[in-house]
Amino acid sequence: MVRLQSQLVSTAALALLLGPTSFANAWSLPSTSSQSSTSTSRRTWLQTQAVTAALLTNRSPALAAGPPSPAELERLRKGHARVQYLLDHWDDETQVCGKIIMSDAERRQVVRTEGSGSAGCEKTPLNVQSFLGYKSTEDPLYRVDKLMVRAAPLVDPDDFENYLEVVEKYKDKADNSAMMAYTSSWGEANPNGGKEVIDEYLERTKLDVKDTEMYLRKILGYLQLEPLPPSKNPK
């Protein structure tokens, strides 16, 4: 642990000498064939970035953004409110009904094979990405992991390592949610695919989104930010 702390401080000191831009260009994660080694490397990188951010806070604003402002931290609360809304209105947000033009024969066929509740409905898995910050730069969760790392100096020092571990888990689950949503969107077009494949992957997507919301809520707790009520357009 002492050796790791020494490495972190040394790397942070290098960042102070090079400046954040040069340091970012020079720093790269070591390649590894072990999943556990990769996880450790990522966590070490997150810790290094957070320590560097803390040290750079005392330097010129031109060299470092420093910890996020209250307005920036509000992105976390708004993003969490949107993810809660998505989970509370999952069916409404992941399917569109009544907009598919079908003949009477086609409509009767859908009712026979899928039930009356499915007539005229089409799954829209990619909407999930819109709630997680993967569709628009204006979304509060767009590249929010970088904001989370910058916020690390605001966390209780005793919780520092645990906080960064939660940030890492959040990023993993958010990325996986977006990937599963994309996979679900192609469920019917792929060989051996069909509507049941879309539904299966969409259900797995929902489980990942639930975990994403949980880790995001934990991050709010570490930063002592009160969650907002679920909302599609939080103010």
Side-chain angles (χ1 to χ4, degrees):
M1 184 64 181
V2 174
R3 184 178 180 183
L4 174 59
Q5 291 174 336
S6 176
Q7 290 174 341
L8 294 178
V9 174
S10 298
T11 308
L14 176 61
L16 289 172
L17 292 174
L18 295 178
T21 301
S22 299
F23 172 74
N25 292 334
W27 180 265
S28 61
L29 285 175
S31 60
T32 174
S33 58
S34 169
Q35 184 176 358
S36 61
S37 297
T38 300
S39 178
T40 302
S41 298
R42 289 184 62 189
R43 188 172 298 111
T44 301
W45 180 81
L46 282 169
Q47 291 173 330
T48 303
Q49 297 299 301
V51 171
T52 301
L55 292 176
L56 289 175
T57 299
N58 296 322
R59 292 179 60 81
S60 166
L63 293 180
S69 66
E72 290 177 298
L73 290 174
E74 192 69 7
R75 288 174 52 193
L76 297 173
R77 301 176 72 213
K78 290 181 177 180
H80 179 251
R82 281 173 50 79
V83 175
Q84 289 184 95
Y85 179 90
L86 170 63
L87 290 171
D88 290 347
H89 301 80
W90 185 261
D91 290 339
D92 293 337
E93 294 298 332
T94 58
Q95 69 179 5
V96 175
C97 296
K99 295 185 178 181
I100 303 175
I101 300 176
M102 294 186 295
S103 66
D104 290 341
E106 289 173 326
R107 189 175 293 106
R108 286 193 295 271
Q109 176 66 20
V110 170
V111 171
R112 282 198 302 269
T113 58
E114 300 180 31
S116 59
S118 300
C121 293
E122 182 178 2
K123 298 295 184 180
T124 55
L126 291 180
N127 280 354
V128 172
Q129 295 183 352
S130 299
F131 283 87
L132 298 178
Y134 291 85
K135 285 283 193 175
S136 171
T137 58
E138 300 299 319
D139 190 274
L141 293 182
Y142 176 71
R143 293 186 177 179
V144 76
D145 56 305
K146 298 181 183 299
L147 174 65
M148 293 171 177
V149 172
R150 284 177 51 212
L154 304 177
V155 175
D156 187 315
D158 292 338
D159 295 326
F160 184 80
E161 187 172 350
N162 290 335
Y163 170 79
L164 292 179
E165 184 175 350
V166 171
V167 170
E168 180 184 0
K169 290 180 178 179
Y170 162 81
K171 185 66 166 59
D172 285 344
K173 284 298 180 180
D175 285 347
N176 204 53
S177 297
M179 181 189 69
M180 291 300 296
Y182 180 81
T183 303
S184 177
S185 70
W186 285 92
E188 194 169 10
N190 289 332
N192 301 319
K195 293 185 182 299
E196 66 280 359
V197 176
I198 295 178
D199 292 341
E200 178 185 350
Y201 278 104
L202 193 54
E203 187 59 32
R204 291 166 65 179
T205 302
K206 186 177 183 180
L207 294 176
D208 282 332
V209 173
K210 286 182 177 180
D211 286 340
T212 300
E213 185 276 330
M214 175 189 67
Y215 289 124
L216 187 51
R217 182 165 19 96
K218 286 185 177 182
I219 289 168
L220 291 179
Y222 280 119
L223 295 171
Q224 299 182 21
L225 298 172
E226 190 70 24
L228 295 172
S231 174
K232 189 172 185 176
N233 298 295
K235 304 298 183 183

